[in-house]
Amino acid sequence: DVTVNTLGFGGTLAGKLGELIVTLNYQFLNAETPEANTSTKTHVFMPLIGLEIPVGIQLLAGAQGQFYNTNIEGFVSGGEDGTDLSYLVNFEPRRWNGILGAYYGVGKHIELSVNFGFGDRTSTTAILGYRF
């Protein structure tokens, strides 16, 4: 059995001036796995800028940056002489990729969104949302 303790939060700031749209999205996640002596802290930033075209679709372009570090810590027993070898390995990749996306609000309550990531890291995200 493995236990993973996680804590995360995020937020989005968005604004529109005429047809110009700007959004700034941030997410944080902390995950710890005690049995493996690992911990990961992840920060994700996604700034986007776009335009609303006359049919009500918003076209967006920007970037996504994922910044995280993972620590693996432990020791190897030295055997009969009693000397332990301690280790700490830290991974810190930092990678940005481009994002292209579209958003469409269908009436008061339904929204459709799709984002495509390109560059060193690729991704596709599609969202069907319901607003209260």
Side-chain angles (χ1 to χ4, degrees), residues 75-86:
F75 68 92
V76 176
S77 179
E80 293 180 20
D81 68 358
T83 304
D84 292 338
L85 173 63
S86 296

Side-chain angles (χ1 to χ4, degrees), residues 1-112:
D1 291 335
V2 176
T3 303
V4 180
N5 301 314
T6 59
L7 171 67
F9 62 87
T12 300
L13 293 174
K16 183 176 172 192
L17 182 59
E19 287 93 28
L20 181 66
I21 302 154
V22 177
T23 69
L24 300 171
N25 182 287
Y26 170 75
Q27 299 167 25
F28 171 78
L29 176 70
N30 182 51
E32 296 179 355
T33 309
E35 293 84 357
N37 291 322
T38 63
S39 65
T40 302
K41 290 182 180 8
T42 305
H43 302 271
V44 179
F45 298 96
M46 192 165 67
L48 298 169
I49 190 165
L51 294 173
E52 183 168 353
I53 60 176
V55 294
I57 296 174
Q58 298 175 0
L59 301 176
L60 302 160
Q64 182 182 63
Q66 293 187 7
F67 304 89
Y68 57 92
N69 62 43
T70 299
N71 292 315
I72 300 172
E73 185 175 4
F75 68 92
V76 176
S77 179
E80 293 180 20
D81 68 358
T83 304
D84 292 338
L85 173 63
S86 296
Y87 60 87
L88 172 62
V89 180
N90 180 270
F91 301 98
E92 291 189 54
R94 288 176 170 82
R95 297 174 58 179
W96 283 93
N97 67 291
I99 296 284
L100 292 175
Y103 170 88
Y104 183 63
V106 182
K108 261 176 94 171
H109 301 289
I110 307 265
E111 58 189 12
L112 305 169

